[in-house]
């Protein structure tokens, strides 16, 4: 809860919404007070005008005045029934309409005034008629205030209805204005590690654009730094490959037939060391190649049966050296639209890893199937598996599982992960458990139909 509150208080959208809502409420409150006061005052003035108009009608004898005014004649004055205007002659105690005895003083001056009678406050208009008589039109101020207050409150209804709508619409507008920033954040969050291109500033608010441009400059500097490191690795590997190849050829050309036994052992170790060094250089070159951000691979329809055959031809000697049974489970061929070199590198690295970590007399199975519109490539072995806590780290370059004595560069799965990400695929590691113990590892690559074209055909086994 504290984390949510902290994110809300640090949110630009939240702050803008709160401040604008506060400004709107403040202005609305001030406008409401002004509107209520003006409407209240205007309602009282209208009621004063009503008193004057009634007095004028009586003076013009449109309605006869006197104590004998009938209720019908009173109604012809068009006086609101809620107004309760009392008409009384000051020279007599007779009340014209409606019946009430206020006993106003005869000395009251002509005009509007507020007086107290019988414990209540009254708004009184005194007028001298043409015949010399004086009349008073009175209205209870409490009633007047109630009528004015009701009218003034009705003027506030638009504020009460529109202010929440205005705040809601303001929040929606702010959210829509900040939507390009959220989309930019989403695109950055879903970028791969190798994608260091500049961010798109289209539709980004001018106030945020300098920050995005600063990030773009940083990305360019990082990209240049990574490119320098990648070129260094590639150039170093290229420079080392030639002398290592020469040394390997010279070591292979040595005639160890007449050498002492200890010398033969040392020469064999030398050959194995040179072989491992050449393998590491090849992995470094492969890793540098797949790391190239500007590389646009040639995409063709690649037969997985053909890829499996080539991988088995290249690595069968390693499997036979450990008496490992290696083969393909599915007889169906699957075609995928991808770069053949990338697919070949994927499968070859997975199979090479499986051969290295599978003990003698083990088994390795390759498989390629289409299921629910997705392509699944898997390599399953009978090796020791990978502990769950290590599975997230094995894709890091040069990382080796602790306690493992197998010879390797630690780049194989890193290369596989890089290529899989570039093909918009996913990779999963699953330990195979039988009778409560780990009996192997299954590596599965999954590719969607949006990046691959899948065709299944019946063929004979490889």
């Amino acid at each position: 809860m504290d984390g949510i509150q902290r994110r809300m208080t640090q949110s630009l959208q939240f702050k803008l919404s709160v401040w604008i809502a506060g400004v709107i409420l403040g202005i609305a409150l001030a406008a409401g007070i002004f509107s209520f006061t003006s409407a209240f005052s205007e309602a009282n003035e209208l009621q004063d005008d009503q008193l004057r108009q009634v007095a004028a009608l009586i003076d013009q004898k449109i309605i006869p005045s006197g104590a004998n005014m009938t209720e019908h004649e009173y109604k012809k004055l068009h006086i609101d029934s809620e107004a309760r205007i009392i008409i009384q002659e000051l020279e007599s105690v007779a009340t014209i309409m409606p019946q009430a005895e206020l006993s106003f003083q005869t000395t009251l001056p002509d005009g509007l005034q507020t007086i107290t009678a019988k414990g209540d406050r009254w708004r009184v208009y005194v007028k001298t008629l043409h015949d010399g008589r004086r009349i008073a039109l009175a209205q209870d101020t409490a009633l007047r205030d109630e009528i004015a207050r009701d009218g003034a409150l009705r003027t506030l209804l638009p504020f009460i209805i529109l202010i929440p709508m205005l705040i809601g619409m303001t929040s929606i507008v702010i959210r829509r204005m900040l939507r390009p920033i959220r989309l930019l954040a989403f695109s950055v969050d879903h970028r791969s590690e190798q994608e260091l291109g500049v961010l798109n500033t289209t539709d980004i608010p001018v106030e945020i654009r300098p920050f995005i441009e600063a990030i773009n400059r940083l990305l360019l500097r990082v990209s240049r730094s990574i490119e320098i490191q990648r070129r260094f690795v590639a150039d170093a590997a290229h420079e080392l490959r030639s002398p290592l190849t020469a040394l390997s050829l010279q070591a292979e050309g040595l005639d160890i037939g007449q050498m002492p036994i200890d010398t033969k052992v040392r020469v064999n170790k030398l050959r194995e060391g040179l072989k491992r060094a050449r393998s590491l250089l090849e992995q470094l070159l492969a890793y540098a190649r797949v790391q190239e951000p500007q590389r646009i691979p040639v995409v063709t329809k690649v037969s997985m049966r053909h890829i499996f055959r080539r991988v088995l031809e290249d690595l069968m000697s390693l499997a036979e050296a450990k008496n490992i049974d290696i083969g393909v489970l599915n007889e169906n061929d699957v075609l995928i639209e991808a770069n053949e070199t990338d697919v070949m590198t994927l499968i070859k690295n997975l199979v090479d890893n499986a051969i290295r970590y599978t003990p003698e007399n083990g088994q390795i199975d390759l498989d390629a199937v289409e299921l629910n519109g997705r392509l699944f490539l898997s390599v399953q072995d009978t090796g020791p598996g990978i502990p769950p806590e290590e599975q997230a780290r094995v894709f890091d370059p040069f990382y080796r599982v602790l306690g493992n004595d197998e010879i390797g560069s630690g780049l194989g799965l890193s290369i596989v992960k890089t290529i899989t990400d570039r093909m918009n695929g996913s990779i999963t590691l699953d330990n195979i458990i039988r009778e409560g113990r780990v009996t192997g590892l299954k590596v599965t690559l999954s590719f969607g139909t949006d990046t691959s074209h899948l065709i299944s055909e019946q063929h004979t086994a490889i």
Side-chain angles (χ1 to χ4, degrees):
M1 183 62 70
D2 292 340
I4 295 176
Q5 291 178 348
R6 184 162 52 253
R7 286 195 298 272
M8 288 182 64
T9 55
Q10 294 176 350
S11 169
L12 179 61
Q13 176 179 323
F14 178 78
K15 290 181 178 180
L16 281 174
S17 299
V18 169
W19 275 99
I20 293 178
V23 171
I24 292 174
L25 288 175
I27 295 175
L29 181 61
I33 293 174
F34 176 78
S35 177
F36 180 85
T37 304
S38 299
F40 187 85
S41 176
E42 185 176 351
N44 277 313
E45 290 179 2
L46 289 174
Q47 293 180 93
D48 288 342
D49 289 339
Q50 188 178 34
L51 294 177
R52 296 190 186 95
Q53 291 171 6
V54 172
L57 290 173
I58 295 174
D59 192 21
Q60 296 171 12
K61 297 183 180 181
I62 297 176
I63 297 296
S65 63
N68 59 350
M69 181 186 291
T70 65
E71 184 176 354
H72 176 69
E73 291 171 334
Y74 179 79
K75 290 181 177 179
K76 288 179 68 176
L77 295 175
H78 302 290
I79 300 174
D80 189 352
S81 59
E82 294 183 357
R84 299 179 187 176
I85 297 176
I86 296 174
I87 306 173
Q88 182 175 314
E89 291 187 21
L90 292 182
E91 284 75 10
S92 69
V93 295
T95 300
I96 300 174
M97 286 297 289
Q99 295 298 325
E101 295 182 3
L102 296 179
S103 301
F104 293 129
Q105 296 178 2
T106 59
T107 59
L108 288 176
D110 286 3
L112 287 167
Q113 52 211 288
T114 302
I115 64 174
T116 302
K118 291 187 176 182
D120 295 325
R121 291 177 60 81
W122 296 83
R123 185 67 169 172
V124 180
Y125 178 69
V126 179
K127 181 176 179 61
T128 302
L129 304 178
H130 288 95
D131 56 9
R133 290 180 301 123
R134 302 181 72 227
I135 61 171
L137 292 84
Q139 191 177 27
D140 190 348
T141 57
L143 179 62
R144 287 166 54 91
D145 291 345
E146 181 181 352
I147 295 173
R149 190 162 45 249
D150 291 342
L153 288 175
R154 282 192 291 270
T155 64
L156 295 181
L157 284 178
F159 290 97
I160 297 174
I161 295 174
L162 293 177
I163 293 306
M165 295 177 60
L166 181 59
I167 293 176
M169 290 299 298
T170 301
S171 179
I172 293 174
V173 170
I174 292 174
R175 190 180 299 111
R176 290 183 64 86
M177 291 176 62
L178 296 179
R179 185 170 181 268
I181 300 177
R182 291 196 300 271
L183 293 177
L184 180 63
F186 179 82
S187 65
V188 172
D189 190 46
H190 287 76
R191 278 189 171 195
S192 64
E193 293 83 351
Q194 291 77 32
E195 190 177 356
L196 295 175
V198 296
L199 304 177
N200 186 10
T201 58
T202 305
D203 298 329
I204 296 298
V206 176
E207 294 78 7
I208 306 296
R209 194 167 298 171
F211 177 68
I212 303 301
E213 291 173 350
I215 293 179
N216 284 338
R217 290 192 291 270
L218 175 62
L219 288 174
L220 289 175
R221 292 195 296 270
V222 172
S223 179
R224 285 195 292 267
S225 176
I226 293 177
E227 178 65 16
I228 291 173
Q229 295 180 20
R230 188 194 63 78
R231 288 181 179 177
F232 172 78
V233 172
D235 292 344
H238 276 292
E239 291 297 323
L240 290 173
R241 186 165 59 173
S242 296
L244 275 178
T245 300
L247 287 175
S248 298
L249 291 175
Q250 293 177 14
E252 293 294 333
L254 290 176
D255 184 8
I256 62 175
Q258 304 300 324
M259 293 182 180
I261 295 178
D262 58 341
T263 303
K264 293 180 180 180
V265 172
R266 293 176 181 176
V267 170
N268 287 331
K269 288 183 178 181
L270 173 63
R271 290 174 176 176
E272 289 296 325
L274 291 173
K275 184 178 179 180
R276 288 196 298 270
R278 290 185 62 187
S279 176
L280 174 59
L281 286 179
E282 294 298 330
Q283 289 286 70
L284 284 172
L285 288 173
Y287 185 68
R289 181 179 62 83
V290 300
Q291 290 286 329
E292 294 179 7
Q294 303 300 326
R295 177 175 171 267
I296 302 177
V298 178
V299 176
T300 59
K301 291 182 179 180
V302 180
S303 167
M304 291 309 304
R305 189 163 74 90
H306 174 68
I307 293 295
F308 286 159
R309 181 188 294 115
R310 288 182 56 188
V311 170
L312 293 181
E313 290 173 353
D314 291 345
L315 301 179
M316 185 59 74
S317 59
L318 295 178
E320 290 176 347
K322 298 177 70 174
N323 196 27
I324 293 175
D325 179 16
I326 183 171
V328 180
L329 293 178
N330 189 13
E331 295 183 353
N332 295 342
D333 190 18
V334 179
L335 302 185
I336 175 175
E337 283 191 356
N339 178 260
E340 183 174 355
T341 302
D342 285 346
V343 179
M344 181 72 180
T345 303
L346 283 176
I347 303 302
K348 188 172 183 179
N349 275 279
L350 291 178
V351 175
D352 182 72
N353 266 14
I355 293 174
R356 290 179 184 277
Y357 294 101
T358 299
E360 293 186 359
N361 302 315
Q363 181 177 336
I364 298 175
D365 296 320
L366 284 65
D367 197 9
V369 295
E370 177 191 354
L371 182 62
N372 297 328
R374 294 188 68 82
L375 173 65
F376 294 90
L377 309 177
S378 65
V379 176
Q380 179 175 325
D381 60 48
T382 56
I386 300 176
E389 63 274 10
E390 300 277 352
Q391 291 184 3
R393 297 286 313 279
V394 294
F395 299 110
D396 296 341
F398 301 105
Y399 183 81
R400 303 287 306 280
V401 177
L402 297 177
N404 199 310
D405 296 330
E406 292 295 331
I407 298 173
S409 63
L411 287 173
L413 287 179
S414 180
I415 294 173
V416 170
K417 183 68 165 58
T418 302
I419 297 177
T420 303
D421 289 342
R422 190 166 60 204
M423 295 173 62
N424 296 322
S426 62
I427 180 171
T428 56
L429 306 177
D430 297 297
N431 286 325
I432 302 171
I433 301 177
R434 294 188 178 94
E435 298 180 355
R437 65 186 185 89
V438 178
T439 60
L441 176 70
K442 183 177 182 180
V443 182
T444 305
L445 307 177
S446 172
F447 302 97
T449 55
D450 57 337
T451 57
S452 60
H453 177 70
L454 311 178
I455 304 174
S456 296
E457 299 175 348
Q458 291 293 334
H459 287 281
T460 57
I462 294 176

